[in-house]
Amino acid sequence: MCGIVGYVGSMRVVPIILEGLKKLEYRGYDSSGIVYLYEGKLCKHRCEGKLARLEEKIDGQRDVLSHIGLGHTRWATHGAPTERNAHPHCDCTGELVVVHNGIIENYQSLREELQQKGHLFSSDTDTEVLAHLIEESLNGDLAKAVTKALKKVHGSFALGVMWAGQPDTLVAVRNQSPLVLGIQEGGGCLLASDIPALLPFTRQMVFLDDEELAVLRPGGWEVMKLHSGRRVKKETRTIDWNAGMAEKAGYKHFMLKEIFEQPQSVLNTIRGRLDAESGLVRFSELGLGRQEAEAIRRIVLVACGTSWHAALVGKYWLEKWAGIPVEVDIASEFRYRRLLLDESSLVILISQSGETADTLAGLRLAKKMGARVIAICNVVGSTMTREAHGTIYTHAGPEIGVASTKAFTSQLAALLLLTLSLGQLKETVAPEASRELGAALVELPALLETELPRLQEEIEPLAREYAASRDFLYLGRGSMYPIALEGALKLKEISYIHAEGYAAGELKHGPIALIDREMPVLALVPRDHVYEKVVSNVEEVRARLGRLIVVGSKGDRALRKITDQAIEMPVVHQELNPILYAIPLQLLAYQIAVLRGCDVDQPRNLAKSVTVE
Ligand code: AGP
């Protein structure tokens, strides 16, 4: 997803923009660009590929005496990922530039209209129409011109605009794409698509809402409503993440660091919410009392990708312990089907970033239909958290690796807490069961801490053996089925090995035809209520000479008889298995991807925050 950084103030702008852009690399991009004002002229540099190439290109200009500029990392939507399509984009005079994240839906008709008026285009992007439209409206005041131009635009945008005619002013606009302002004590002002880009320079941030325009100048900033121009009073929030929290802390990749952070992130999710003795859960932030809990007739969980896998696990828990029927939807499907929601429905949106376009659209639809809407989210101040009726923050800390790991297990911990809380309010969970489950959850972070290094080591030979595979099957039943899906997703997204997750019982309905001596099959076989069933499925694979890896309970001799490639997991409360068993699968995917020389933190074609549908 595109990333925007802007700065105006008394510091030299080039190093600020470059550092900010580096912090946004996790979003995924295929080209980058920078523009700054020097001696009254805009100096623009763009290039295809990684940021290092842009840095090389402008080597020697880091110290240039410029105090205002914009930078951009582009994730192509309209037009190939080439230098000519990289942002910033200019108007015809070359004195006005725009950087943009989002999609301009009516760009084709606007482009034709502008071309008829004589505007010359130099890219294939939807963004460039914005520069020419603003040029058309420009009459000495950049903010007014932006406001006027955007009246004609349909779509989603976060924008940074700069004009040589107003050399101390940046204009920022947010509409359905994230944008945050950073305010420095010395009067410098920044704008960026996400918090990590601002953290090296300030902790004081202002979160723009949709249809808000900000004017940034050295020493001051103001926010107004995009269309009416009415001033909006915004709060400055202190973000307590430090820049170091977003660094790799000695690990080779962010993904590995984040896998090893899971004891802490799970602990952070449960901390202050779960009473260790009684297992009672308090979610004061949700404002759900007994009456409200009893009024819930149906829960709908909506998410994408890994977050959708968390939702699938949530269904098992919520139905079993809270006794409420649960539907799980992929957000891009949910938003385009006929929804039967009302005030008795609780809709839970699960999203690490809180910005995923489809999930956000689902939130808005559900809200419109009168449902109670809750977000489970990791990013404070993100759009979903601001629009939902309530938010359960996962508190996993910033997740930089594109492949989600710690955010996933924190989502699971949050869903389990929510399950307990609803079950306790409705009295569908017996106090003894609450105590048992609560105690097991409290002990989980310490257990993860000891298991992680052991698993890392044990998985190494397996990763070596399977790194050259072409395909992979993952099998699981019950709450292990979504974990099989997640294991397959992790492997395919970072190692580019084709991998599929299946409900083990589905094997004989088709996928079994794929099994031969070449096909690796990883089966999740904890000692739970469907253990015997999964063992039968594993035997079916063995009979067809598939290459079996089993992940099962420590000391399970039956599994050892089936294959010598067994990863042994400690025996915990059955409901915690999804969290625990996700970890060896994350490590296996990670190690295989590293052995294959893949760009683990920024896999090809993927973006961390998918803010377009
Ligand atoms: C996870 O590894 C993926 N890269 C992706 O599926 C992700 O989970 C999905 O895009 C949803 O993102 P969200 O949680 O930020 O909404």
Side-chain angles (χ1 to χ4, degrees), residues 304-307 351-353 356 402-404 411 489-490 493 610:
C304 300
T306 288
S307 300
S351 173
Q352 182 282 131
S353 62
T356 303
V402 166
S404 188
Q411 287 168 346
L489 178 66
K490 284 290 87 84
E493 70 180 332
V610 185

Side-chain angles (χ1 to χ4, degrees), residues 454-455 458-459 462 522 549-552 565-569 584:
R454 175 187 73 82
L455 287 167
E458 261 181 40
I459 284 168
L462 284 178
L522 186 148
I549 307 169
V550 293
V551 187
Q565 299 201 320
I567 302 171
E568 295 201 350
M569 302 300 290

Side-chain angles (χ1 to χ4, degrees), residues 1 106 235 361 565 595:
M1 225 43 32
N106 57 336
E235 259 177 52
Q565 299 201 320
L595 287 167

Side-chain angles (χ1 to χ4, degrees), residues 202-432:
T202 181
R203 289 179 179 204
Q204 302 303 311
M205 307 205 181
V206 176
F207 294 94
L208 293 184
D209 285 302
D210 281 348
E211 301 193 1
E212 284 182 350
L213 175 146
V215 178
L216 314 183
R217 295 198 181 90
W221 55 277
E222 56 181 332
V223 176
M224 49 203 96
K225 283 301 229 189
L226 178 58
H227 296 300
S228 66
R230 186 172 50 81
R231 285 280 296 274
V232 185
K233 210 166 163 282
K234 301 290 287 186
E235 259 177 52
T236 306
R237 293 177 64 173
T238 307
I239 298 298
D240 57 8
W241 296 0
N242 56 43
M245 282 169 83
E247 297 297 341
K248 284 186 219 154
Y251 287 94
K252 198 168 169 199
H253 296 98
F254 281 114
M255 182 179 173
L256 186 62
K257 171 177 170 269
E258 286 155 9
I259 291 174
F260 273 82
E261 279 171 352
Q262 289 174 109
Q264 188 60 47
S265 52
V266 170
L267 178 65
N268 289 349
T269 310
I270 58 179
R271 207 199 305 262
R273 290 165 165 166
L274 174 67
D275 183 90
E277 302 266 291
S278 61
L280 284 178
V281 176
R282 298 254 171 281
F283 268 131
S284 47
E285 58 266 53
L286 291 187
L288 274 181
R290 189 195 171 114
Q291 221 179 329
E292 288 82 3
E294 271 172 357
I296 301 168
R297 291 278 145 266
R298 191 158 62 113
I299 295 179
V300 184
L301 301 173
V302 182
C304 300
T306 288
S307 300
W308 175 64
H309 298 153
L312 290 170
V313 176
K315 176 180 167 74
Y316 287 92
W317 285 333
L318 285 159
E319 290 188 337
K320 177 172 173 185
W321 294 96
I324 305 172
V326 178
E327 281 169 43
V328 182
D329 256 296
I330 292 175
S332 53
E333 292 299 317
F334 178 80
R335 66 182 292 192
Y336 292 116
R337 68 179 174 82
R338 184 175 169 213
L339 299 174
L340 301 171
L341 302 173
D342 58 27
E343 312 77 59
S344 68
S345 325
L346 172 67
V347 178
I348 305 176
L349 294 305
I350 308 176
S351 173
Q352 182 282 131
S353 62
E355 301 293 349
T356 303
D358 286 317
T359 314
L360 187 57
L363 182 156
R364 288 173 180 161
L365 277 172
K367 229 174 136 181
K368 214 185 249 171
M369 295 185 73
R372 186 183 194 98
V373 172
I374 289 176
I376 295 183
C377 188
N378 195 39
V379 179
V380 177
S382 59
T383 311
M384 283 181 216
T385 67
R386 283 179 288 141
E387 295 195 14
H389 296 126
T391 299
I392 300 176
Y393 280 111
T394 41
H395 300 309
E399 188 178 71
I400 307 295
V402 166
S404 188
T405 52
K406 64 173 181 172
F408 175 63
T409 45
S410 277
Q411 287 168 346
L412 291 178
L415 278 162
L416 192 50
L417 288 181
L418 178 66
T419 302
L420 268 177
S421 138
L422 288 173
Q424 288 160 0
L425 287 167
K426 292 183 66 206
E427 294 180 13
T428 49
V429 184
E432 188 46 35

